[in-house]
Amino acid sequence: MRYGLWYWPEIQGRGEFIRLPLEAAGIAYVECGRVEGADALIANMAQHADAHGPFAPPYLEMDGMVIAQVANILQFLGDHHQVGATSIADRLWLNQLQLTIADMVTEVHNVHHPLDVSLTYEAQKDAARSVAKAFREQRLPKFLGHFERAAQGGMGEWLLDHHWTYVDTSLFQLVEGLRYMFPKRMAAIESDYPGVIRIHDLVADLPGIRAYLKSDRRLPFNQDGIFRHYPELDAA
Amino acid sequence: MRYGLWYWPEIQGRGEFIRLPLEAAGIAYVECGRVEGADALIANMAQHADAHGPFAPPYLEMDGMVIAQVANILQFLGDHHQVGATSIADRLWLNQLQLTIADMVTEVHNVHHPLDVSLTYEAQKDAARSVAKAFREQRLPKFLGHFERAAQGGMGEWLLDHHWTYVDTSLFQLVEGLRYMFPKRMAAIESDYPGVIRIHDLVADLPGIRAYLKSDRRLPFNQDGIFRHYPELDAA
């Protein structure tokens, strides 16, 4: 059995948080949205709507069952493919961290779409400028400081002991996205978060991730995803 | 052992999603933030910061351990107090639904604080008006439609079979909050969501919830919580 991963075909988006542990652990999956296109994704979502369907992509499909919500999918993969935790306390801690990453990702999206997700960035540029300032100056250091304490607080070089988990790969993606979106700001502050950067670098060096990042399966960041680079929203 | 629930003392907020299943199931807990005050909450958070601490309240404290993030706490309570699901598939479905409720709650907060969470509503009133319109007209029906399909798709009168779970109590709170925040809009559309309203009413009628709603432990909604009633943000 191979997992079917359904997500928008043209962006990394939230799908990337699922792809990374799949790639790092060598778990077989089909990128259904890219193979079949966005219309097929919309049709597939409609087909699941009356059962236990997703509110939005990404979702995994397997044996007729659907699992949606990034943190939920990751917890499932963690339990079934040894990319999570085994003890109850560690499982709770990983899920807690992942949910805090999800909160930050939502705030990142809100930076360029503060007023209406159905409108373009250009239609809400002025509001975006003021949200971006608050995000860069207050929220970004607050979130990164939290993840830094998590990175310093483990027993080994990873967040948990001596093996990577899905939260390490999520932290990698967060750093990648923030560097793309706020290059000036990240250059100015990232040395304050050596533990976070250590985990980013360790993930980048995993054999499965090295191969993935060189492949055409890793889409480049772009102006349709969650992390978008608008120079006017960045500042040191 | 009693759980310590830490949250801001003056509001329902996200803490309410934890209180409701505790009250419905008769699980003993101490409302630490209300007993000891907001300063004690801040001090307690600081004390946990270097270990597996919370990013924000609410969190549960027990045996020196801390669990944060609403969906994470609820999944824990679900597993340990029979207020969740037993099968893997149902557990995933409940968590998925709860995370979608969490997404909606985040959008609700964003309605009155679209630009900067550290400023007052009054400082971002104009932006709030435009976010509120998009929320009322597009997001509210989209989310409620999703929960309606979930409510219609179960095997019994509850979301899962014939026993309430923590997602039923969360759905109750969502309806309560939306009715408080958008009375005109909810009066205009809520008959489109009979399954959601059925679950709201069933939860309201649980003995533990009936007693709780009459007690002074249930704070009234107010203008400091997540659901806030600003008449200028409501319309049918």
Side-chain angles (χ1 to χ4, degrees), chain B residues 121-201:
Chain B
Y121 161 66
E122 285 68 24
Q124 45 203 315
K125 252 179 129 159
D126 291 343
R129 204 179 280 261
S130 109
V131 180
K133 184 172 174 359
F135 183 84
R136 286 193 317 265
E137 294 177 6
Q138 299 166 51
R139 304 298 288 171
L140 184 54
K142 184 170 175 178
F143 276 108
L144 289 181
H146 180 72
F147 299 131
E148 180 64 19
R149 286 189 293 279
Q152 302 286 356
M155 306 283 285
E157 52 188 352
W158 300 96
L159 283 165
L160 275 190
D161 308 328
H162 303 291
H163 193 285
W164 67 270
T165 70
Y166 66 79
V167 185
D168 295 287
T169 55
S170 292
L171 214 49
F172 162 85
Q173 179 65 6
L174 203 60
V175 171
E176 290 276 297
L178 291 169
R179 283 177 174 171
Y180 172 74
M181 185 162 172
F182 301 109
K184 289 182 189 163
R185 182 64 174 152
M186 285 298 280
I189 65 170
E190 72 170 55
S191 64
D192 294 342
Y193 310 104
V196 171
I197 301 304
R198 177 191 78 228
I199 287 172
H200 167 274
D201 294 350

Side-chain angles (χ1 to χ4, degrees), chain B residues 92-108:
Chain B
L92 288 163
W93 171 234
L94 287 186
N95 191 40
Q96 176 178 321
L97 274 176
Q98 184 63 44
L99 289 170
T100 307
I101 291 173
D103 286 345
M104 190 180 185
V105 169
T106 296
E107 293 195 22
V108 162

Side-chain angles (χ1 to χ4, degrees), chain A residues 68-69 72 92 95-96 138, chain B residues 68-69 72 95-96 100 118 138:
Chain A
Q69 282 282 359
N72 195 39
L92 289 163
N95 190 41
Q96 176 178 321
Q138 299 167 51
Chain B
Q69 283 282 0
N72 195 39
N95 191 40
Q96 176 178 321
T100 307
S118 71
Q138 299 166 51

Side-chain angles (χ1 to χ4, degrees), chain A residues 15 24 35 37 42 95 97 109 127 132 135 148-150 152 157 208 229 233:
Chain A
V35 173
I42 292 164
N95 190 41
L97 274 176
H109 191 271
F135 183 83
E148 179 64 18
R149 286 188 293 278
Q152 303 286 356
E157 53 189 352
H229 179 56
L233 302 185

Side-chain angles (χ1 to χ4, degrees), chain A residues 162-236:
Chain A
H162 304 291
H163 193 286
W164 67 269
T165 70
Y166 67 80
V167 184
D168 294 287
T169 55
S170 292
L171 213 48
F172 162 84
Q173 178 65 6
L174 203 59
V175 171
E176 290 277 297
L178 291 169
R179 283 177 174 171
Y180 172 75
M181 186 161 172
F182 301 109
K184 290 181 187 164
R185 182 63 175 152
M186 285 298 280
I189 65 170
E190 72 170 55
S191 63
D192 295 342
Y193 310 103
V196 171
I197 301 304
R198 178 192 77 227
I199 287 172
H200 167 273
D201 295 350
L202 284 167
V203 170
D205 203 38
L206 290 171
I209 296 295
R210 277 211 309 271
Y212 171 63
L213 294 177
K214 279 187 283 191
S215 76
D216 58 8
R217 298 189 302 286
R218 171 75 165 186
L219 299 179
F221 286 104
N222 62 36
Q223 302 301 70
D224 295 309
I226 288 172
F227 295 100
R228 303 187 188 187
H229 179 56
Y230 298 114
E232 64 274 21
L233 302 185
D234 189 21

